Amino acid sequence: MGFSTNLQGKIAHEALLTRQDAELRLIEGMKRCIHVKVKCDRDYAAALSSVASQGLKIDKGDDLVGSIVCSTWKTMMEEIENTAKLIKQNSDALETKALDALNALYVEKRKIRKAYQEEHTRILQQFNQLSEEVVRKKAEYQKYLEQYKLMRAKFEEIYIKGGRGGRKLDEVRDKYQKACRKLHLTHNEYVLLLCEAVEFEKDFRTVLLPGLLEYQQSLQETFILTWKQILQDIATNSDSTSDKFRECYNRIQLNIESIKPIDEYKDFTEKYKTNPAEPVKFTFDESLVDDQGGKLLPNQLTVDNLTVEWLRNKLTELESSIKENQEKRSTLTNNGHNGDNSLINGKTTTTNDTINNRLSLCIETSKKELNELKCQERKISKQIELIKAALNELGCEEAPSACDLSIDNQPAFIDSSTEEGAGSQNTLNKHLVNFDPHRLVSMLPRALRKPFRRRSVPSSPVAPPRTKNRRESATRSEGADPLSVTTNKSLVDEEWFHGVLPREEVVRLLREDGDFLVRETTRNDECQTVLSVCWGGHKHFIVQTTLEGHYRFEGPSFPTIRELIIYQYNSGLPVTQRSGAILYKPIPRERWELNNDDVILLDKIGRGNFGDVYRAQLKNSNEVVAVKTCRVTLPEEHKKKFLQEGRILKQYDHPNIVKLIGICVQKQPIMIVMELVPGGSLLTFLRKKVTSLVEAQLMKMCLDTAAGMRYLESKNCIHRDLAARNCLVGYSNIVKISDFGMSREEEEYIVSDGMKQIPIKWTAPEALNFGKYTSLCDVWSYGILCWEIFSRGGTPYVGMNNSKAREKIDSGYRMPAPENTPDEMYRLMLRCWEYKPENRPNFEQIYTVVETLFNAYRSTFC
Ligand code: ADP
């Protein structure tokens, strides 16, 4: 079985050649691959080498002192470097040995293929030639045989015809003999040739071809040995599991095994041994609250109207986060118990060591998380405790006002009969910003405290006997009626019920310990009834509702709030134990506090920012008045702002300032009642009477407004919105300044809550740029107002939008004088528009200028 016996056929021969071609291609392919592999291995070795040198960049110094992990890592990196070297050596060997051997094998095999093919062709050709010769010889044989037959036939013919002699016979005989000779020679040649052919054919089949194939086989088999060796070399030089590599790995392994958690930090802890940390004390720096008059106390939460909601929200937030925390903790605790099995069951292939490590890590992590959760919980519960204690302290008391100033410094609804010089009062306001009435009262010797002004009253049927207390020792004012439940009055009918009177007003009304009133407030859309008491400051108690729908504070409950308050008054018991507040004197509504039902709204005459303005009639006096209403749906803050105008106007009495008659806060809608100024807004008036108004009338309007503003300036009131649209025209065209919604009673007022709804074209640059308002800002607006008057209701900076006008003013532009404006009047306007406020005249000066002008004008033109 081999090439010689099996591969003699033509197809086998072709296949053998094809096979050799394929093998040559295989060698070429291998060469290419090995070439690439050598390159890859070299690159890999270089990359590993740089990884190792990167990995060996470890902190110098003592930071990792004694770390076995670190030294293992170093070994690991060194062994990676060694590995890189080994890979490089192997790739070199691969190149020199395997690649060169493959090249040589390729050359040899090509040569042998060629030789085989040539030899095979040669012997085949030999055989073919012989075969062809036999065919040819046979054809020759046949030809000579024919000639012979022909010549013999001729000879016999002549011989038979001509006898025994004759030239012709000789000729024929000669030819016959020659043909015979030729035939016999050819016959012999043919016989010899056949003999040769038979022999050669036998040799070809049995010796030559098998010999060639046998030789070929032995050569190819020798090549296979070489080839095998080459593959072996490739394998050897690619083996990363060889002993050398294994040694590297073993060294790493040994190092890794030497890592023992217990030993890892031994040297380190020894080297940096220190004492346990000293506890850090967090203490409240008491100097922070030194000048807070006891309002802010170290380590105590401050519960007031500004913080109470925040505290409640904070409490809810903390309570929900503690709940969340507790849930997390219980989940973690449960997982801690079940976790072990799940880990073991889940990873069957993991070694026990790893499982144990992971388990203990898991347990440690859970422990740590649990600790963290516990700490967090402790922290939150402490905060909750603190807030709860602070809120519990409050009980049913409404949170005190953070800025609960003395009643004397409230710029508010002061009865004109009790009004002191408002200027001095405002100066006082500024000095009393930090005034704490509670502290002041407690600082006074009892004898010096103002006597209580309540009369003694007989006990009402529901009243328990009075206790001996502070009230008994107080001098009671004469003439006060006892509070009695016997009449059929409702709460709103009581004089001491003040409806939705703002808290700031309430605080102003309650001046002495024991003064009290009842009012309503809305919190989170819920209407609450509040008992406000002056007791070493102002306390506001929210009436609590029981499940049966009765009302109470801390004591007994009553079916009506009125009965509750009367009980509280007559019993002489403190409203709450904590406050100790006792009701001595019910404070009745001021004359400004009108009953909503006292006002009959007639017809709508205008529309303001907060609601509609009506012509109305007062029930008692039939007086026709103007009433500004505040939309019921507006938020509480807006309602306070609405009342701000009343609060300001209350103090003023001047022919050029619209007069306040009262406020209606008994129920919604709250209203401001004012004198009716029949001509409506000055702006509309000017526009309507464009043609009929003469200069003297215009000058008079400027004089009226200057008079009103001079008065306001003297009261330290900054109007902030002086404009023709905010002035009203009364009988005989008298102009009255109105719309005090933006007014402030301060020498200087800094706006910090944005500049929303600012009348840009009327406002002075320093107010626009820095939010700084003074009376001199009103002076700027007054200049614009005069311009409006003389332009007969013109639009200032017409054709410019607000920002353009602002830009132009900042760059020095000033409006030109309206047509026919007297020069002196325009000069005054320009002085009012001086960029620097200090260069503007004040209203005192303005009034003098306008008055002189008006008088001169009147005497010249009228
Ligand atoms: P708001 O200050 O809410 O903007 P205004 O004071 O501008 O409201 O009043 C709106 C309109 O109601 C005015 O333009 C004017 O026509 C009318 N008005 C306001 N007060 C009076 C009043 N006392 N007498 C007559 N009309 C008034």
Side-chain angles (χ1 to χ4, degrees), residues 47 121 151 157 190 197 219 230 287 311 325 345 351 360 373 386 398 453 549 561 583 620 651 680 697 744 801 831 850:
T121 311
M151 287 301 135
E157 190 187 81
Y190 185 55
L219 283 177
I230 293 171
S287 69
L311 282 169
N325 225 39
N345 295 341
T351 64
S360 60
L373 287 173
L386 207 62
E398 198 185 51
R453 295 161 292 151
I561 297 174
L583 311 187
N620 298 345
Q651 308 163 80
Q697 283 172 302
R744 291 292 181 280
N801 62 18
R831 284 179 66 203
V850 182

Side-chain angles (χ1 to χ4, degrees), residues 605-611 613 626 628 645 658 674-678 680-681 725-726 728 738-739:
I605 52 172
R607 188 177 169 78
N609 280 331
F610 297 94
V613 183
K628 277 187 172 186
E645 182 170 13
V658 68
M674 293 185 290
E675 68 166 310
L676 180 76
V677 189
S681 107
R725 64 181 172 279
N726 290 329
L728 297 169
S738 165
D739 206 344

Side-chain angles (χ1 to χ4, degrees), residues 280-436:
V280 178
K281 272 195 182 153
F282 290 97
T283 48
F284 194 101
D285 180 351
E286 300 198 3
S287 69
L288 292 170
V289 293
D290 266 358
D291 58 352
Q292 289 298 311
K295 283 209 161 189
L296 298 177
L297 297 172
N299 298 315
Q300 273 188 35
L301 290 173
T302 289
V303 187
D304 56 38
N305 60 334
L306 302 182
T307 60
V308 69
E309 276 313 309
W310 180 86
L311 282 169
R312 283 186 185 128
N313 290 340
K314 186 82 189 165
L315 184 64
T316 323
E317 189 188 302
L318 290 173
E319 279 173 342
S320 78
S321 79
I322 207 166
K323 207 167 144 224
E324 216 174 277
N325 225 39
Q326 279 161 349
E327 276 162 15
K328 267 192 212 162
R329 200 148 67 87
S330 80
T331 322
L332 211 62
T333 319
N334 292 342
N335 283 352
H337 294 310
N338 309 333
D340 319 5
N341 296 339
S342 65
L343 251 175
I344 293 168
N345 295 341
K347 302 278 174 191
T348 43
T349 50
T350 323
T351 64
N352 281 348
D353 260 7
T354 318
I355 291 174
N356 288 341
N357 283 345
R358 292 186 57 190
L359 258 179
S360 60
L361 195 65
C362 235
I363 293 165
E364 283 308 316
T365 314
S366 308
K367 246 203 253 171
K368 193 178 91 25
E369 275 175 36
L370 267 176
N371 277 343
E372 259 173 43
L373 287 173
K374 273 185 200 159
C375 290
Q376 216 162 344
E377 220 169 288
R378 256 201 302 275
K379 199 172 67 186
I380 300 174
S381 346
K382 282 276 170 204
Q383 290 177 317
I384 289 178
E385 253 172 53
L386 207 62
I387 298 179
K388 271 190 176 163
L391 289 175
N392 282 347
E393 270 274 285
L394 196 64
C396 65
E397 249 183 76
E398 198 185 51
S401 169
C403 314
D404 201 1
L405 305 180
S406 153
I407 41 179
D408 293 332
N409 68 343
Q410 288 291 313
F413 295 91
I414 298 169
D415 191 292
S416 54
S417 59
T418 62
E419 188 183 345
E420 293 167 341
S424 61
Q425 184 189 325
N426 280 304
T427 320
L428 188 61
N429 291 348
K430 269 173 265 128
H431 293 299
L432 287 178
V433 170
N434 292 320
F435 176 76
D436 177 358

Side-chain angles (χ1 to χ4, degrees), residues 47 127 131 277 319 497 704 811:
F127 177 75
S131 303
E319 279 173 342
F497 180 74
D704 283 351
S811 67

